[in-house]
Amino acid sequence: MPTYVALLSWTDQGIRNYKDTAKRAESFASAVQKLGAKLLSIYWTVGPYDLVAIVEAPDDETGAAALLQLDGVGNVRSTTLRAFGAEEMQHIIAKAAG
């Protein structure tokens, strides 16, 4: 399944409600599961992003839907990266090599 790395920044609303951040992470995990995706891990970070989430989804549409739902709640804004594992990268290299 495709993997996505979501770099999350708290909005003003999110920082005001920082005490609920662990509960919100659990809610996000449940919501993505209902879409057929999975929250593999979430980390609270220090630096330009407040959290990093690793999400696995069956396709790009499901991955995008999961992160749109998350952003739609209003506590975070996301920047999402499509991640490739070693095996996927080998297939990409084989295609690029012709």
Side-chain angles (χ1 to χ4, degrees):
M1 266 202 276
T3 303
Y4 306 87
V5 177
L7 307 172
L8 308 171
S9 298
W10 278 333
T11 61
D12 289 342
Q13 173 183 308
I15 195 66
R16 278 193 308 271
N17 299 313
Y18 73 91
K19 291 178 183 178
D20 297 330
T21 187
K23 289 181 204 170
R24 292 193 313 250
E26 290 174 13
S27 294
F28 175 55
S30 294
V32 298
Q33 189 171 18
K34 289 176 185 172
L35 291 172
K38 183 177 181 183
L39 177 62
L40 298 178
S41 55
I42 190 163
Y43 301 97
W44 285 261
T45 57
V46 176
Y49 297 98
D50 299 304
L51 301 100
V52 176
I54 312 299
V55 176
E56 197 175 65
D59 51 54
D60 289 339
E61 291 82 7
T62 304
L67 291 156
L68 278 172
Q69 277 189 350
L70 175 65
D71 286 0
V73 175
N75 291 306
V76 295
R77 298 270 183 265
S78 64
T79 299
T80 305
L81 309 167
R82 171 64 166 88
F84 299 92
E87 187 175 320
E88 290 172 301
M89 195 62 207
Q90 288 298 335
H91 288 108
I92 292 167
I93 291 168
K95 282 187 178 187

